[in-house]
């Protein structure tokens, strides 16, 4: 019987695997801290005979080369990946014996990278598992834009073809075991769920249920920001990563911490955001050890800048080291354990800032404060607080000068990224309040939203309501179906400087289009005129999906349901 053990790397949203039989095993896409794979093999009492890479990774430093060296395993890397070390160059169709009756078959699946290769584990000639790396994920695929911008469209089409190849060649009961998709920024969409099969993906995966043109258009439209440290990962993996050193960093006392801050180095407090806000070393920044530490610290940290770690215990420091080596932040300059009282020089006081909920922000809103939204652009597009300033957390360090003066109330989707941004602002001497709350509470708290859901739009513009639903699609689109009582005013007329229809004058405006793109442009123009306007997330598409009423113009000009 075969086995598959999953090696979770939750901070990066990835998984590695150890799979094999009674005596031999293969390690797939191992993280850099390879002791976990070695321990897993020891528990199974198997020898790692093969270490395989599905592709040259863009989001983490691989442990494959070191694991192969330590175990004497064959190191399998796709032939198309240009690397500076000896390896077994893998081509489509190559087969490798893992154990008696257990074979690993290479399947070329370009798309995430040009050379991407999946590996099918066959027991007795039957495919039992497919290690799909960044190809077929749970419900989605790996993003195609991490290699070279000019290749993105071509790779997106290759992703579609590769997904279809996997679905065509593998039985429905084959387990799909991707490397990315559990929070990884290598995923092109939201990958939800813990496990899946080829049959399940055939029914729901966006690459398998959409035609290629629709798939590519939707895929490219949904691509989000790429962590800055990704630029350093593929070159490190191509060169051949050095072994990791997880020995404890040199201890730092209060004088050294102050000296490192004065030198412009980063001092990172790993405690939870509640403890940090209550008291911390002035100038330090907060990245919770329990959050996506490696992703966000490596994203914001100037590459190569020394970093000193502060935590409650040596264990926390060791855990942080392990996470950081996975993204190439190899050796902390120093570390200190304890609490702020241990990290401050005699006579120094800890710095602090308040935390709040969206209900507190609603009370303070309009009193001259700055509301700073540090979510990604794709999140903000789904709805945001009217009048808020938008600087994604990963850009906060370089855009501090764009944030208006005054007390800054910082929010994200849940509190973790707001805490990071608040700490960076606090270190720069700004007065901050960290909103530690779910963004879903913002609207119910009474904060004015710049974008609203179709259901909220229906409530605001229903019979007897003060607001009017302004449809900015073109007349032919309007005639095909629109909300009852809505007023037609095409965006083309608005951009030409046209006057609002009489029915929409002197009333709050809720703006809708087909998908939510044109309505955002319309709101920008309307608010520039001094009008009260919000737009509907998802447009009429979302309106219809939610079962809200729609009418269309009949041939005689009258409406019909």
């Amino acid at each position: 019987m075969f086995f598959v053990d999953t090696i979770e790397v939750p901070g990066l949203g990835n998984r590695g695997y150890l799979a094999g039989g009674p005596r031999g095993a293969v390690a797939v896409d191992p993280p850099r801290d390879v002791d976990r794979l070695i321990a897993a093999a020891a528990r199974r009492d198997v020898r790692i005979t093969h270490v395989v890479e599905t592709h040259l990774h863009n989001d983490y430093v691989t442990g494959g080369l070191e694991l192969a060296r330590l175990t004497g395993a064959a190191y399998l890397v796709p032939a198309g990946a240009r690397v500076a070390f000896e390896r077994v160059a893998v081509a489509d169709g190559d087969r490798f014996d893992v154990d008696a009756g257990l074979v690993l078959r290479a399947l070329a699946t370009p798309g995430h990278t040009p050379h991407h290769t999946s590996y099918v584990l066959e027991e007795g000639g039957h495919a039992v598992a497919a290690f799909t790396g960044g190809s077929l994920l749970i419900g989605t695929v790996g993003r195609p834009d991490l290699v070279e911008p000019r290749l993105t469209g071509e790779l997106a089409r290759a992703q579609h073809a590769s997904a279809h190849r996997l679905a065509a060649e593998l039985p429905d009961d084959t387990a799909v075991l991707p490397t990315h998709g559990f929070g990884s920024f290598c995923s092109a969409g939201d990958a939800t769920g813990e496990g899946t099969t080829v049959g399940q993906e055939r029914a729901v995966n966006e690459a398998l249920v959409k035609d290629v043109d629709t798939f590519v258009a939707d895929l490219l439209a949904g691509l989000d920001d790429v962590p800055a440290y990704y630029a350093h990962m593929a070159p490190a993996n191509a060169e051949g990563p050095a072994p990791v050193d997880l020995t404890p960093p040199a201890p730092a006392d209060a004088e050294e911490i102050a000296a490192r801050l004065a030198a412009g180095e980063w001092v990172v407090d790993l405690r939870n955001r509640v403890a940090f806000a209550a008291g911390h070393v002035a100038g330090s920044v907060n990245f919770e050890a329990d959050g996506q530490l490696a992703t966000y610290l490596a994203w914001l940290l100037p590459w190569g800048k020394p970093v000193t770690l502060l935590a409650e215990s040596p264990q926390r420091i060791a855990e942080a080291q392990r996470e950081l080596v996975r993204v190439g932040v190899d050796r902390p300059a120093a570390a200190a354990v304890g609490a702020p009282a241990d990290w401050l020089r005699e006579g120094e006081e800890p710095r602090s800032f308040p935390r709040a909920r969206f209900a507190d922000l609603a009370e303070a809103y309009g009193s001259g404060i700055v509301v700073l939204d540090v979510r990604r652009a794709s999140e903000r597009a789904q709805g945001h607080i009217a009048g808020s300033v938008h600087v994604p957390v990963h850009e906060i360090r370089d855009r501090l000068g764009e944030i208006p003066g005054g007390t800054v109330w910082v929010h994200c989707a849940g509190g973790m990224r707001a805490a990071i941004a608040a700490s960076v602002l606090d270190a720069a001497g700004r007065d901050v309040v960290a909103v530690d709350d779910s963004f879903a509470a913002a609207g119910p708290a009474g904060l004015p939203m710049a974008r609203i859901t179709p259901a909220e739009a229906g409530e605001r513009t229903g019979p007897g309501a003060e607001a009017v639903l302004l449809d900015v699609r073109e007349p032919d689109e309007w005639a095909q179906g629109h909300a009852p009582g809505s007023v037609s005013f095409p965006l083309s007329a608005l951009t030409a400087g046209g006057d609002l229809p009489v029915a929409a004058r002197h009333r709050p405006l809720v703006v809708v289009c087909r998908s939510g793109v044109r309505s955002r442009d319309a709101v920008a123009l309307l608010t520039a005129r001094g009008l009260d306007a919000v737009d509907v997330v998802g447009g009429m598409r979302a309106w219809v999906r939610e079962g809200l009423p729609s009418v269309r113009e009949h041939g005689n000009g009258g409406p019909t349901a």
Side-chain angles (χ1 to χ4, degrees), residues 17 82 141 174 239 255 264 381 429 476 494 498 521:
Y17 300 95
R82 296 184 178 181
V141 294
T174 307
E239 182 63 27
E255 290 292 340
D476 59 331
L494 176 60
D521 295 337

Side-chain angles (χ1 to χ4, degrees), residues 149-240:
R150 291 171 296 182
L151 295 177
T152 298
E154 175 185 334
L155 290 177
R157 290 183 174 274
Q159 276 290 51
H160 188 270
S162 292
H164 279 263
R165 182 185 184 190
L166 287 164
E169 296 192 17
L170 299 178
D172 279 355
D173 61 352
T174 307
V176 174
L177 303 173
T179 300
H180 305 312
F182 311 96
S184 168
F185 282 87
C186 274
S187 174
D190 292 331
T192 57
E194 290 301 307
T196 189
T197 64
V198 169
Q200 289 172 305
E201 291 307 304
R202 196 191 309 280
V204 301
N205 194 287
E206 56 190 21
L208 298 174
V209 299
K210 296 178 180 178
D211 66 82
V212 62
D213 291 331
T214 302
F215 166 77
V216 169
D218 291 347
L219 180 68
L220 299 185
L223 294 175
D224 215 330
D225 296 327
V226 177
Y229 68 88
Y230 275 27
H232 305 279
M233 299 297 96
N237 288 325
E239 182 63 27

Side-chain angles (χ1 to χ4, degrees), residues 20-314:
R23 292 174 297 279
V26 56
V28 181
D29 287 344
R32 196 176 181 198
D33 47 329
V34 297
D35 55 330
R36 301 176 65 203
L37 272 299
I38 293 172
R43 286 192 296 270
R44 290 281 186 178
D45 193 23
V46 295
R47 175 174 173 255
I48 298 176
T49 58
H50 299 80
V51 177
V52 307
E53 304 284 6
T54 57
H55 58 293
L56 204 61
H57 302 286
N58 289 285
D59 63 327
Y60 68 92
V61 180
T62 182
L65 183 63
E66 178 66 0
L67 183 60
R69 184 186 69 81
L70 291 172
T71 62
Y75 190 27
L76 313 184
V77 179
R82 296 184 178 181
V83 296
F85 47 82
E86 292 295 322
R87 89 291 195 199
V88 177
V90 178
D92 184 46
D94 286 351
R95 300 172 69 86
F96 305 91
D97 293 327
V98 177
D99 206 331
L102 205 59
V103 173
L104 197 68
R105 176 167 61 93
L107 200 68
T109 48
H112 187 47
T113 66
H115 59 266
H116 190 283
T117 301
S118 298
Y119 297 87
V120 180
L121 188 66
E122 298 178 345
E123 184 180 46
H126 180 76
V128 292
F131 301 102
T132 55
S135 183
L136 191 67
L137 310 185
I138 301 178
T140 184
V141 294
R143 58 193 298 168
D145 62 325
L146 302 179
V147 177
E148 158 62 53
R150 291 171 296 182
L151 295 177
T152 298
E154 175 185 334
L155 290 177
R157 290 183 174 274
Q159 276 290 51
H160 188 270
S162 292
H164 279 263
R165 182 185 184 190
L166 287 164
E169 296 192 17
L170 299 178
D172 279 355
D173 61 352
T174 307
V176 174
L177 303 173
T179 300
H180 305 312
F182 311 96
S184 168
F185 282 87
C186 274
S187 174
D190 292 331
T192 57
E194 290 301 307
T196 189
T197 64
V198 169
Q200 289 172 305
E201 291 307 304
R202 196 191 309 280
V204 301
N205 194 287
E206 56 190 21
L208 298 174
V209 299
K210 296 178 180 178
D211 66 82
V212 62
D213 291 331
T214 302
F215 166 77
V216 169
D218 291 347
L219 180 68
L220 299 185
L223 294 175
D224 215 330
D225 296 327
V226 177
Y229 68 88
Y230 275 27
H232 305 279
M233 299 297 96
N237 288 325
E239 182 63 27
V244 299
D245 179 2
L246 293 176
T247 58
D253 59 15
E255 290 292 340
E256 183 175 353
I257 291 170
R260 290 190 176 279
L261 283 169
E265 297 182 11
W266 274 40
V267 173
V268 175
D269 192 325
L270 301 170
R271 295 176 302 148
N272 70 68
R273 57 186 182 260
V274 177
F276 182 87
H280 54 271
V281 176
S284 63
V285 289
N286 181 217
F287 292 81
E288 291 181 309
D290 289 331
Q292 291 178 281
L293 170 66
T295 294
Y296 283 103
L297 178 53
W299 202 339
L300 271 74
L301 180 71
W303 193 253
K305 182 177 280 291
V307 58
T308 295
L309 302 178
L310 310 179
E312 308 99 313
S313 67

